[in-house]
Amino acid sequence: MKKRVAITGVGLISGLGTSSAFFHRQLCGDMDDPGEIPKDVLQEHQAAPTGVLRFFKPESYLKGKHLRPLDRTGQLLASAAQIALRNSGWTAERLARHDVGLVLGTMFGSMHTISEFDRRSLIDGPACASPLNFANTVINSAAAQTAIWHNLRGMNSTTATGATSGLVAIGYAADLIECGRQATVLVGGADEFCFEAFCAFERAALLSGENDEAGCFVPFDQRRTGMKLAEAAAVLVMEEWDSAAQRGAYVLGEVRGHANGYNPKWKQSGYGACGIIRAMRGAMRESRSSPSDIDYITASANGSVVGDRNEGLAIKTVFDGCCDRVQISAIKSNIGETLGAAGVLQAIDLLEAMKSGTISGIAGLGQVDPELSSLNLCRDSAFVDVQTGMINSVGFDGHACSVIISRSATQSNHT
Amino acid sequence: MTDPTRVAVTGLGLVTSIGQGRQKVWEALLLGCCGFSPVRSFDTRGYSVHIGAEISDFCADQHVLELQPSTIGRTSQLAIAAARMAVQDGCLDLLRVDRDRIGVCVGTTSGEPGSIERFDDQCVRGIMNAVGGEFLNGYPCHVIPLHVARELDLGGEAMTIPTACAAGNYAIAHACDLLRNGRADYMLAGGADSFSRITYTGFARLGAIAPEFCQPFDRNRKGMIPGEGAAILLLESTARAVARGASIYCEVAGYGFSCDAHHMTAAHPQGEGAARSMRLAMEDSGLQPSDVDYISAHGTGTLTNDRLETIAVKKAFGSHAYSVPISSVKSMLGHTMGAASAIEAAVCALAITHGWIPPTMHWRDRDGECDLDYVANSARKHAVKVAMNNAYAFGGNNSSLIMTARATSGC
């Protein structure tokens, strides 16, 4: 019999702060809310043309050891993990007694370290390439460094499925818990903003060109021209239900089902939504939900001309008949496209929506793409009782993932 | 009554520096053939070492039939070749199955290193205008299974698990879990890595590359030989394999993974994590140390790895450590990084099928700290019902996979 999967803690390092409640209030437009990051710093970040987290200081979260062995992706992930562990009540003493696992979803891993190591060798000769940096040239180095930092001795894995990696990691970890292989797993998503990744997206013409007058990275908006690249890390603590209950953990939500879909014909006309539809239906089948059970969808949409359209059409198909009921929002006009971190950040948005009874609106949404006008897209934050929500993640290359999370019974007692 | 948790290996695809295809590779391994030669893919004049295990006779056009070979990286090409071989070897008619239920899971260390190395060359030469959209489509490691899926028109799970030098074991284990919980009907799972300047430079800087050849567990071992390759296993439930009349090489009985959480490049000094992964794998498989007939070692040929792996085997196996044969095919293929443990899983499947254990080549002098039975220098006829495949990686990732001869009861 499958074990139930509880989410008992969250942590994030993002352009909208480092606490989940603050993050969600920012998404809901509550800009006057005092947070741990000064308002002017956040505003400066949001106005900046790139999604680099200039205010991120890893030493604020990671204390007592040298930070030099960790590259930026490692620092982002280890910091988010620190916040999540504290949020969930996992102390160093408890970690020493249990083999806690870690699954990271990332698109590029340590791309900048890899490239820089190679360029140094090319310019100054192989004898000048740093062995210390070489350790971080493996794509899973952030997961490994985070395990070292926090003494996580359970299964340590990294998933890479492009921009869907973080959400896929949630499903991967849920399976490990459901079948009894791990009692507790930290699930993270992380990607840094680096010159190499920016160059890759820019040359593929996937960025919005937000500095141009016509540039627009608002999800589902008719004016959209592409996405805004940003960096972030986000971590969930996921535990087997009974062991979470046994230690008296506060359950934020329950992972009810997940599914991935890949569509090898995604480039062909008329096929773009197929993989996304398969992922959404698969997740509902696994969670024994019907479209009418889903109160809220946090969409993957990031301003991509093709991707948003495909996702919107997929939602229309799957929710045919109740499109007007299910509320849909998307966080990436606020936070940017954070690649591996995106799906986990969306999960945090959903958990906070369940807790607070407020869903965020799509910042800046103007005229909706006419093809998607029947979708119930949230322009502004709204009070909604979210019992069950769906998270979508859609890649740039035909991959899709959906996860369904429900509010837990214990949460109802707490709120 | 059919046990739905049993997973069978029904097809093998191998691309290595000593041959391509299951039969050729197996025969070469039993003969002790080595794939080492001077590095050809880049200039090693600034290096203190010059030997690698590259595949010299790989012709992508013969394997990549649907996609344009020139538009995808070498790792994807190797993976596609191995996947096609596995499908053919497993007699799976793709036209007669639901291809949306066939997934691809590939382990890798470097993904498509050629793509970022080309980007770096362009940066250094100041010709950034030459970088185009192909960089995004060609570099991120997740494109490897996507390319396999597009080539074979498969719509199931398509995931890369980039857990460095243990990645093949992780990919196979994940594929088994997907089959067990009904997420797929068939999985093409394994590992792939192409020869990488970055990887070669790094291991050279660590002083971990041997100057001539790889001699795991020998007293005078000098390191590894970096290589390239791919192995893909066709996996399906044993019940499905029996129902369609497929030949079964072996079953994947269980796995165990752990993390040292100790150091990025140095394994735990007492081999604790490695021993734990072996114990977990045996527990998962319902087996005892005395049940294991063969250990395919990680056996890179570096001073520390081989010593610590020996310590870990002794911890996990107790006195049986001295009676179970252990060998490292890296002595012939070099270290093929993310592909290594997938190739070695295929070797375990073939050892079970044929009752032969491939040798650890170039073993000359006994090391007092490596005092187990390493099947030195010549293949050994030995009945193998249970094989353990060990693989370790940067970051202290430890993995053990257990493969068993197909049980006669149940299906």
Side-chain angles (χ1 to χ4, degrees):
Chain A
M1 185 170 162
K2 280 185 174 180
K3 297 176 189 297
R4 294 173 66 189
V5 180
I7 301 170
T8 61
V10 301
L12 69 158
I13 303 289
S14 80
L16 293 182
T18 59
S19 89
S20 58
F22 180 70
F23 170 74
H24 187 65
R25 286 197 294 268
Q26 293 280 308
L27 287 173
C28 291
D30 191 358
M31 301 304 281
D32 295 329
D33 193 2
E36 76 281 13
I37 298 170
K39 194 173 156 189
D40 58 333
V41 175
L42 270 182
Q43 283 173 343
E44 185 190 344
H45 166 72
Q46 283 161 357
T50 65
V52 180
L53 302 177
R54 297 196 191 284
F55 56 79
F56 171 57
K57 293 187 171 59
E59 60 275 18
S60 304
Y61 312 96
L62 306 173
K63 301 175 194 299
K65 287 189 274 188
H66 289 298
L67 285 167
R68 171 69 181 91
L70 283 71
D71 68 5
R72 186 165 180 87
T73 312
Q75 292 176 355
L76 286 165
L77 182 68
S79 299
Q82 171 71 27
I83 297 167
L85 286 166
R86 195 171 54 222
N87 182 246
S88 180
W90 274 84
T91 62
E93 294 72 32
R94 187 173 175 80
L95 286 168
R97 295 198 304 272
H98 299 270
D99 290 342
V100 172
L102 171 66
V103 178
L104 165 68
T106 184
M107 178 161 176
F108 289 116
S110 297
M111 185 189 201
H112 179 63
T113 306
I114 294 165
S115 186
E116 201 172 54
F117 176 86
D118 190 34
R119 291 197 298 265
R120 179 82 195 272
S121 170
L122 288 172
I123 294 166
D124 298 327
C128 295
S130 159
L132 187 62
N133 289 345
F134 176 58
N136 284 329
T137 63
V138 288
I139 299 165
N140 63 325
S141 75
Q145 295 282 18
T146 300
I148 293 167
W149 194 280
H150 296 294
N151 191 24
L152 308 174
R153 302 176 311 281
M155 181 171 170
N156 187 292
S157 191
T158 296
T159 62
T161 54
T164 62
S165 299
L167 202 61
V168 167
I170 292 176
Y172 181 112
D175 279 352
L176 292 175
I177 293 170
E178 280 176 358
C179 68
R181 291 194 180 277
Q182 287 283 158
T184 305
V185 183
L186 266 63
V187 188
D191 266 299
E192 67 182 319
F193 185 101
C194 63
F195 151 69
E196 295 82 2
F198 181 85
C199 189
F201 280 107
E202 193 269 334
R203 295 302 158 94
L206 288 172
L207 299 181
S208 66
E210 66 269 16
N211 292 329
D212 302 339
E213 205 163 299
C216 173
F217 56 96
V218 177
F220 300 123
D221 194 294
Q222 191 179 2
R223 301 163 299 166
R224 69 191 188 277
T225 54
M227 63 177 205
K228 174 182 174 175
L229 194 63
E231 66 180 348
V235 172
L236 307 180
V237 179
M238 291 179 21
E239 300 186 55
E240 190 275 314
W241 189 273
D242 291 339
S243 67
Q246 212 164 27
R247 73 176 183 91
Y250 175 49
V251 177
L252 300 167
E254 178 178 6
V255 180
R256 297 278 310 284
H258 65 93
N260 302 333
Y262 176 63
N263 174 17
K265 297 187 178 76
W266 68 280
K267 280 184 177 171
Q268 295 177 22
S269 174
Y271 284 91
C274 295
I276 311 168
I277 292 169
R278 205 139 37 84
M280 293 168 76
R281 286 187 172 148
M284 284 200 284
R285 193 165 47 245
E286 185 166 286
S287 63
R288 295 178 185 170
S289 308
S290 65
S292 61
D293 295 323
I294 307 296
D295 303 306
Y296 175 51
I297 298 172
T298 166
S300 178
N302 59 10
S304 154
V305 176
V306 176
D308 290 15
R309 179 179 174 276
N310 287 340
E311 185 180 13
L313 294 177
I315 294 172
K316 274 173 71 171
T317 304
V318 173
F319 285 81
D320 185 29
C322 53
C323 258
D324 55 338
R325 199 194 76 81
V326 64
Q327 306 260 8
I328 303 164
S329 193
I331 66 173
K332 293 177 186 172
S333 48
N334 284 94
I335 197 84
E337 175 54 79
T338 56
L339 304 175
V344 188
L345 286 173
Q346 289 169 247
I348 292 173
D349 170 52
L350 171 58
L351 293 168
E352 282 296 327
M354 288 174 177
K355 190 175 167 185
S356 66
T358 309
I359 60 171
S360 55
I362 301 172
L365 183 60
Q367 179 72 39
V368 174
D369 185 326
E371 278 194 280
L372 309 175
S373 58
S374 62
L375 297 178
N376 188 0
L377 300 173
C378 306
R379 288 178 184 277
D380 303 300
S381 66
F383 294 109
V384 177
D385 179 23
V386 180
Q387 294 292 331
T388 299
M390 173 183 276
I391 309 159
N392 282 347
S393 212
V394 177
F396 310 103
D397 34 26
H399 199 274
C401 175
S402 292
V403 170
I404 290 178
I405 293 176
S406 282
R407 188 176 179 176
S408 73
T410 53
Q411 190 180 56
S412 300
N413 295 335
H414 279 74
T415 52
Chain B
M1 182 72 183
T2 301
D3 180 352
T5 65
R6 286 170 54 184
V7 175
V9 179
T10 55
L12 299 172
L14 288 155
V15 185
T16 76
S17 58
I18 61 169
Q20 296 167 39
R22 184 246 308 156
Q23 191 65 28
K24 282 186 180 169
V25 174
W26 182 240
E27 286 170 5
L29 286 171
L30 294 185
L31 290 170
C33 298
C34 292
F36 310 145
S37 58
V39 173
R40 289 177 295 269
S41 57
F42 61 92
D43 186 351
T44 62
R45 270 179 294 183
Y47 295 71
S48 59
V49 284
H50 308 280
I51 302 296
E54 293 167 292
I55 304 168
S56 58
D57 55 351
F58 178 71
C59 185
D61 293 348
Q62 290 175 4
H63 306 281
V64 184
L65 308 177
E66 300 298 325
L67 304 179
Q68 279 289 334
S70 60
T71 64
I72 63 174
R74 184 171 171 88
T75 308
S76 292
Q77 293 173 354
L78 296 173
I80 286 171
R84 279 201 179 277
M85 289 174 193
V87 169
Q88 188 177 12
D89 189 47
C91 300
L92 182 64
D93 184 352
L94 293 177
L95 296 175
R96 299 183 62 177
V97 292
D98 180 357
R99 287 193 248 193
D100 284 350
R101 299 278 302 162
I102 305 178
V104 185
C105 190
V106 179
T108 189
T109 293
S110 303
E112 292 286 9
S115 179
I116 200 155
E117 289 167 5
R118 191 161 47 249
F119 173 85
D120 292 334
D121 287 334
Q122 288 161 337
C123 280
V124 169
R125 290 162 59 196
I127 49 169
M128 291 300 292
N129 285 341
V131 179
E134 76 286 346
F135 184 37
L136 183 68
N137 298 325
Y139 171 64
C141 66
H142 73 275
V143 302
I144 303 164
L146 297 192
H147 286 146
V148 175
R150 280 175 57 201
E151 170 75 15
L152 299 177
D153 193 21
L154 310 177
E157 174 101 40
M159 182 191 287
T160 295
I161 303 190
T163 45
C165 301
N169 266 359
Y170 280 74
I172 293 167
H174 179 62
C176 290
D177 285 347
L178 292 176
L179 291 165
R180 288 185 183 117
N181 58 28
R183 294 191 187 280
D185 292 340
Y186 301 91
M187 287 298 299
L188 290 165
D193 258 302
S194 51
F195 204 79
S196 162
R197 178 175 76 200
I198 297 170
T199 302
Y200 198 87
T201 304
F203 281 117
R205 288 290 290 131
L206 290 175
I209 298 180
E212 292 177 86
F213 47 80
C214 176
Q215 46 187 150
F217 304 108
D218 183 279
R219 189 176 67 188
N220 298 309
R221 61 192 180 277
K222 295 179 179 65
M224 69 170 75
I225 300 289
E228 64 178 346
I232 297 289
L233 284 63
L234 174 63
L235 302 168
E236 59 193 291
S237 72
T238 300
R240 186 178 299 276
V242 169
R244 74 177 181 94
S247 294
I248 295 176
Y249 288 101
C250 65
E251 292 180 324
V252 183
Y255 68 86
F257 295 156
S258 72
C259 182
D260 287 345
H262 167 69
H263 192 275
M264 266 312 280
T265 55
H268 189 281
Q270 279 86 45
E272 290 291 348
R276 190 150 43 93
S277 69
M278 287 186 238
R279 289 192 198 106
L280 285 169
M282 287 188 276
E283 190 182 316
D284 191 39
S285 311
L287 296 168
Q288 302 293 320
S290 57
D291 295 323
V292 178
D293 303 306
Y294 168 55
I295 297 173
S296 170
H298 188 57
T300 57
T302 63
L303 274 174
T304 309
N305 173 86
D306 295 358
R307 181 174 61 80
L308 292 178
E309 187 169 5
T310 300
I311 290 171
V313 169
K314 288 177 185 175
K315 279 193 171 173
F317 282 77
S319 59
H320 187 60
Y322 289 90
S323 46
V324 60
I326 303 170
S327 73
S328 169
V329 296
K330 291 187 180 76
S331 59
M332 296 170 271
L333 302 172
H335 191 340
T336 54
M337 305 296 148
S341 53
I343 292 172
E344 289 151 15
V347 165
C348 288
L350 291 165
I352 289 168
T353 302
H354 297 295
W356 279 88
I357 294 176
T360 303
M361 294 303 291
H362 312 120
W363 190 94
R364 289 169 189 164
D365 296 311
R366 185 183 175 87
D367 180 338
E369 293 183 295
C370 298
D371 55 350
L372 302 177
D373 172 7
Y374 301 110
V375 193
N377 300 322
S378 54
R380 182 184 301 171
K381 190 162 178 53
H382 183 83
V384 179
K385 286 188 175 173
V386 177
M388 174 182 279
N389 188 35
N390 287 341
Y392 310 115
F394 270 14
N397 284 351
N398 309 296
S399 70
S400 295
L401 199 69
I402 289 190
M403 310 177 83
T404 58
R406 184 187 149 210
T408 48
S409 63
C411 278

